[in-house]
Amino acid sequence: MSVLIFANGDIPEVEWIRPYLEAPVLVIAADGGSRHLLRLDHIPDVLIGDLDSLPQEAQAWRDDDGVTVNVYPHDKNETDLELALLHTVSFYEDDILIFGALGGRLDQTLANIMLLAHPALDGRQVELVTENQRAWLVTEQTEVKGEVGDRISLIPIGGDVLVQETSELRWSLTNEVLSVGPALGVSNEMIAPTALITLASGTLLCIHTSREWDR
C-alpha cells in the first residue's frame, strides 16, 4: 500500500486512478490537486498548502472532521507538493505515489520532477504516476515490470551516470556513461516483461511508458 498525493498538474482522465483509491495508506490533496479528487468523488485525509487554488466545491473539506487541514502562508519557500511530501515522510514510511505532477506550467512540472531528488526523500520510493507513464529516481538498481514493447528512458540527473549494465532492453548498456545533454538513454525498449538497470555511479530518472501510448 502507498501514500497517494494529488498535485495541481493536468490529469485529462481520472477513472484509471480509482483502483489506487481502494486501500491507500493515506490520501493527500496538495491545494489545487483537490480538483482531481473532486472528480473522483473522494475526500482526502489531508488537505495541505496555502489553499489559494482550492476549488469552491472543496471548501467544505476545511470544516470536515475527517480531513486534517494544514494551511501555510502564501509567502513560503516550499511548493504545495513539497509540503505534502515533507508531511508524508515525517509521519509515514510507506511508498509514495504522486498524481497530477505533470502538465500545465513548465516551471511547476520541472520543479515537481526535481522534487524526487529532495534530500528528505533519500532512500524512499517515490513515483510520479500518469495513466501511461511512471517515473522515479535510480541510484543503484531498479527492476521494471511491464510488457514487451514498453519504452524505458534513462535520463541522468545532476551529472554523468555510469550504467554498469542493463538486462532485457533492446539496446543494452554495459559500462556506458550517460551525460547530461545528449539523449542517448531515451526510448529504449523492453524485450521481456521484466528489465533490470544497474548503476555504478550517479543518479538516473527512469521513465517507464506503456507501449499502448506510443508517440
Side-chain angles (χ1 to χ4, degrees):
M1 295 194 299
S2 305
V3 173
L4 312 184
I5 299 178
F6 287 80
N8 196 22
D10 293 342
I11 306 180
E13 302 291 338
V14 296
E15 289 304 311
W16 61 273
I17 299 175
R18 290 196 186 278
Y20 292 96
L21 292 169
E22 291 178 359
V25 173
L26 191 78
V27 177
I28 301 178
D31 200 349
S34 55
R35 62 193 175 94
H36 307 307
L37 289 168
L38 284 169
R39 295 163 65 196
L40 289 160
D41 195 27
H42 190 97
I43 299 175
D45 300 298
V46 177
L47 178 61
I48 194 167
D50 57 17
L51 306 190
D52 63 343
S53 302
L54 189 67
Q56 185 62 40
E57 300 89 335
Q59 292 292 336
W61 294 350
R62 302 181 70 164
D63 300 318
D64 191 317
D65 291 339
V67 180
T68 298
V69 181
N70 293 342
V71 183
Y72 288 79
H74 181 71
D75 294 331
K76 60 188 189 318
N77 293 324
E78 303 85 0
T79 63
D80 295 321
L81 176 55
E82 184 176 358
L83 292 172
L85 286 166
L86 293 175
H87 175 87
T88 301
V89 298
S90 295
F91 297 101
Y92 300 88
E93 297 181 354
D94 307 89
D95 294 347
I96 303 169
L97 301 180
I98 304 173
F99 302 84
L102 310 178
R105 284 172 45 183
L106 179 59
D107 57 343
Q108 293 281 10
T109 295
L110 290 174
N112 290 344
I113 294 171
M114 296 309 297
L115 277 175
L116 294 175
H118 196 295
L121 302 180
D122 187 36
R124 302 293 295 267
Q125 181 63 33
V126 185
E127 295 186 23
L128 308 180
V129 184
T130 72
E131 184 175 5
N132 296 293
Q133 295 184 294
R134 301 171 79 98
W136 63 96
L137 291 188
V138 183
T139 56
E140 296 180 355
Q141 186 179 79
T142 192
E143 184 179 71
V144 184
K145 292 186 178 297
E147 298 183 12
V148 173
D150 284 0
R151 302 288 183 181
I152 301 295
S153 289
L154 305 174
I155 300 174
I157 299 292
D160 291 352
V161 175
L162 177 57
V163 180
Q164 180 175 317
E165 64 177 345
T166 63
S167 66
E168 307 303 344
L169 294 181
R170 181 169 302 280
W171 296 280
S172 61
L173 302 173
T174 302
N175 294 323
E176 187 84 46
V177 175
L178 298 181
S179 299
V180 175
L184 178 61
V186 174
S187 291
N188 213 321
E189 186 177 322
M190 295 179 67
I191 57 174
T194 301
L196 190 67
I197 297 102
T198 304
L199 306 185
S201 63
T203 301
L204 283 177
L205 178 67
C206 180
I207 303 174
H208 176 202
T209 303
S210 170
R211 64 177 184 174
E212 303 299 327
W213 196 63
D214 191 13
R215 292 188 176 181

